[in-house]
Amino acid sequence: MCRSIKTLRPPALPEQATEEDIRAAALQYVRKVSGFRAPAAHNREVFDRAVEAVAEATAELLGGLEVRGVPARGGAAS
């Protein structure tokens, strides 16, 4: 596990995760999995697409999670 990726859901992060928080976590994940801190020019496009895909999946996950006592990102608590 990449220890530099922080938990983005409440209560670990009391405020809502920003797009910047989500993108930073996605970048760390792709760096860890690929083994590249900064990809070579011929790998840049696929690296950037992976970061965007992971960021989108992360935002979708955070938007759908229900945490007791904390409203979901897109709606009210049940």
Side-chain angles (χ1 to χ4, degrees):
M1 183 62 177
C2 188
R3 291 186 177 99
S4 61
I5 300 174
K6 65 182 179 178
T7 301
L8 297 180
R9 69 160 178 82
L13 184 67
E15 68 279 359
Q16 296 220 358
T18 65
E19 285 183 32
E20 184 178 305
D21 293 328
I22 292 169
R23 188 166 192 317
L27 179 59
Q28 287 298 327
Y29 175 81
V30 172
R31 284 176 172 169
K32 183 69 167 187
V33 170
S34 70
F36 295 114
R37 174 156 168 55
H42 63 279
N43 287 325
R44 170 60 61 192
E45 185 178 339
V46 71
F47 187 92
D48 290 344
R49 281 197 319 259
V51 171
E52 291 308 314
V54 171
E56 286 177 24
T58 301
E60 183 178 338
L61 171 66
L62 293 174
L65 287 176
E66 292 183 25
V67 181
R68 289 187 191 179
V70 179
R73 206 165 193 215
S78 345

